[in-house]
Amino acid sequence: MKMKNTMLVVKDMERSRKFYWEVMGLRTLVDLQIHAVLTGGLGLQTEASWQGFIREDISYKGNDAEIYFEEDDFDTFIEKLTKMDIEYVHPPYTHEWGQRVVRFYDPDNHILEVGESMKIVCRRFLDAGFDEMQIAKKTGLPLKAVRAYLR
């Protein structure tokens, strides 16, 4: 078995496709009007069609899951977000292992997390004078992973 996509139910397909293009940089690969597949393996399904499939009520803003993205140029991405009408789950902050993250809602209140890539985190620590062992300890990554990120 192989997992293929993650799918989100959306109220307005065009609004959601536009959001994921403008904010997240995801292109539409397949557009079937009621279903779209975006780059990165994200699927969007219209609320009406999904309700027809499951024959159950749909609730939004459950805050029980997220779609996770990584960004190498975190500062530029945060600057981009400040120019948009975004509802934040929380403002950008730094986890104890050094990774900077931000969480916000898409137009249908699905949580999106954008985290700084761990490769960039390791490089930032190296530039700050940490050695490989110190980086591994700080990030919680195996030394082998730290070395791979720093290559």
Side-chain angles (χ1 to χ4, degrees):
M1 183 176 306
K2 179 168 58 170
M3 184 175 162
K4 297 295 285 183
N5 294 88
T6 298
M7 186 198 77
L8 300 175
V9 176
V10 300
K11 294 177 184 177
D12 181 329
M13 181 64 76
E14 285 308 308
R15 178 184 70 173
S16 293
R17 285 184 33 206
K18 182 179 178 189
F19 172 87
Y20 280 97
W21 166 247
E22 290 178 356
V23 178
M24 308 307 289
L26 302 182
R27 294 184 333 273
T28 301
L29 298 175
V30 177
D31 181 5
L32 304 174
Q33 306 306 309
I34 64 167
H35 181 75
V37 178
L38 310 181
T39 52
L42 182 62
L44 304 176
Q45 186 81 29
T46 61
E47 180 181 71
S49 65
W50 183 244
Q51 201 160 32
F53 296 153
I54 66 168
R55 294 175 171 75
E56 296 286 337
D57 289 338
I58 298 168
S59 62
Y60 294 92
K61 206 169 186 178
N63 290 347
D64 59 347
E66 71 178 17
I67 305 294
Y68 175 73
F69 296 84
E70 284 191 345
E71 174 60 49
D72 285 347
D73 192 349
F74 191 77
D75 292 326
T76 299
F77 181 76
I78 295 303
E79 185 178 315
K80 175 180 162 181
L81 285 185
T82 63
K83 297 173 184 169
M84 305 180 117
D85 184 24
I86 298 291
E87 180 184 354
Y88 292 91
V89 175
H90 61 71
Y93 74 90
T94 304
H95 283 296
E96 62 188 46
W97 57 88
Q99 183 186 36
R100 297 180 299 163
V101 300
V102 64
R103 289 182 180 88
F104 53 94
Y105 294 103
D106 79 357
D108 294 292
N109 294 307
H110 302 292
I111 295 176
L112 305 179
E113 176 184 351
V114 177
E116 180 179 35
S117 74
M118 289 307 293
K119 177 180 180 177
I120 298 300
V121 173
C122 290
R123 291 198 178 278
R124 187 165 27 86
F125 284 141
L126 184 68
D127 292 345
F130 287 56
D131 65 31
E132 291 175 342
M133 287 298 294
Q134 290 170 318
I135 295 170
K137 184 175 181 181
K138 175 69 175 168
T139 61
L141 293 170
L143 184 57
K144 184 176 180 178
V146 169
R147 288 181 173 146
Y149 282 139
L150 294 176
R151 266 192 228 118

